[in-house]
Amino acid sequence: MTTACEVVRTTVDVVTRDGTADAYLARPDGAGTYPGVLLYVNALGIRPHIKSVADRIAAAGYVVLMPNLFYRHGRAPVFELPEFVDFARQPELTDRVGPALDSLTAELAMRDAEAYLERLAGLPEVAAGPVAITGYCLGARLALLTAGTYPQRVAAAAGFHGGFLATDAADSPHLVAHRVTAELYFGHADRDPSLPAEEIDRLEKALSAAGVRHRAEVYEGAAHGYTLADTSSYDAVSDERHWSALFALLDRTF
C-alpha cells in the first residue's frame, strides 16, 4: 500500500444524460497522476462517515470519485440522518430512503455509470487506463453491474456486504458475469438476509463459469453493513478485514 499522504477534498459535478450529479472527490495532495477509484455508496447516501472512507483510500495514493447516486432527488445529503443510525430503533429510515432507492433501476444506474467513469478518467490527476471500483451494500451491486457493462474501463472491482447480487430478476448483477474482464473481490456478510447462501452459490457459479478472476469470502458473524461505522451494523474486525482485502486488490491492480 502506498505511504499515507495528505488529502485534498472537494465537490465536483458530473453531467449525466438525465441531469447533473454532485460528487465528492478526494485525491492525494501532490504532483503527478494516480489511479482512479469509483466509490459507490450504500443506500444512506453521501455523509461524513462515507467521506472518511473515500479519504482513507485517497490517502493511500488514489483519486476517489464518490457520486451522489440519488441526484435525481436533490444534491447530497439527500436524506436527513442522525449522526448514528440504529436500524432496530429507527425503522422509519426505510420509508425515507426507500422511494429514492427503488427508483434507481439497473438501467438508470448504468446510464449514470458511463458518466461517472468518463468524469473520473478525465480528471487531470487520474492516470491513464482503466479504474477500480469499490461498493458497499447497494454499491456492491452497482460495482458488479458496472464491471460487466463497461469491461474495458474497469480493471478491478470490490463489493462489501452487498445484497441481491444473484437473484431471479432479469437485471440481477450476476447475469453480466460473462462480460467482466476485471478482477473481482466480494466480502459477503454472514448474517445478511439480502444475500442468502443460495445466492452466494449462484454468484460463485456464474463467476467461475465465466472465467472471472475473483475471490469471495464470507465474513463470519458479520451483519449487512459491517463497514458502516455510523450504524448499528458496524463490526470493527470485519471492517479491518475489508480494508486489507480492498488495498490488496488495489495493490495487485495498479
Side-chain angles (χ1 to χ4, degrees):
M1 185 174 17
T2 304
T3 302
C5 54
E6 294 298 317
V7 174
V8 176
R9 307 163 182 85
T10 188
T11 299
V12 298
D13 284 341
V14 181
V15 177
T16 75
R17 282 189 262 173
D18 295 328
T20 300
D22 51 306
Y24 182 75
L25 179 67
R27 62 173 178 81
D29 184 13
T33 59
Y34 305 87
V37 175
L38 177 62
L39 192 160
Y40 282 132
V41 301
N42 74 309
L44 297 180
I46 296 176
R47 57 198 191 281
H49 161 67
I50 207 70
K51 287 181 179 180
S52 73
V53 173
D55 292 349
R56 182 165 174 176
I57 299 171
Y62 302 93
V63 178
V64 184
L65 181 72
M66 180 171 60
N68 171 17
L69 302 177
F70 307 115
Y71 71 89
R72 293 175 179 84
H73 300 266
R75 295 180 73 86
V78 176
F79 314 113
E80 290 186 19
L81 300 171
E83 290 185 8
F84 183 82
V85 175
D86 187 335
F87 292 112
R89 297 186 177 185
Q90 296 165 311
E92 74 280 359
L93 287 177
T94 301
D95 295 333
R96 197 179 309 169
V97 174
L101 179 61
D102 292 342
S103 69
L104 186 65
T105 64
E107 180 182 2
L108 285 180
M110 290 306 95
R111 201 155 73 197
D112 293 340
E114 181 179 22
Y116 301 151
L117 290 168
E118 288 183 356
R119 187 72 168 92
L120 179 58
L123 293 169
E125 303 89 359
V126 174
V131 302
I133 304 174
T134 185
Y136 302 86
C137 302
L138 160 68
R141 280 176 49 85
L142 300 185
L144 177 52
L145 284 169
T146 304
T149 305
Y150 303 101
Q152 302 307 313
R153 300 186 181 192
V154 182
F160 300 95
H161 45 79
F164 309 104
L165 295 175
T167 69
D168 295 326
D171 60 356
S172 177
H174 81 287
L175 297 176
V176 304
H178 65 287
R179 298 186 57 192
V180 173
T181 58
E183 180 180 353
L184 305 183
Y185 176 87
F186 291 99
H188 302 310
D190 183 32
R191 298 187 290 109
D192 190 347
S194 70
L195 193 71
E198 57 267 29
E199 286 194 28
I200 293 177
D201 182 62
R202 184 183 294 162
L203 175 62
E204 176 63 31
K205 288 178 178 177
L207 295 175
S208 296
V212 178
R213 293 171 297 145
H214 72 282
R215 183 177 183 183
E217 299 179 307
V218 178
Y219 290 19
E220 185 176 353
H224 182 77
Y226 60 76
T227 69
L228 308 178
D230 58 348
T231 77
S232 55
S233 296
Y234 181 67
D235 180 81
V237 173
S238 297
D239 186 29
E240 282 308 308
R241 183 176 178 182
H242 130 264
W243 281 114
S244 296
L246 175 59
F247 282 127
L249 176 65
L250 295 177
D251 286 346
R252 290 194 300 273
T253 303
F254 299 112

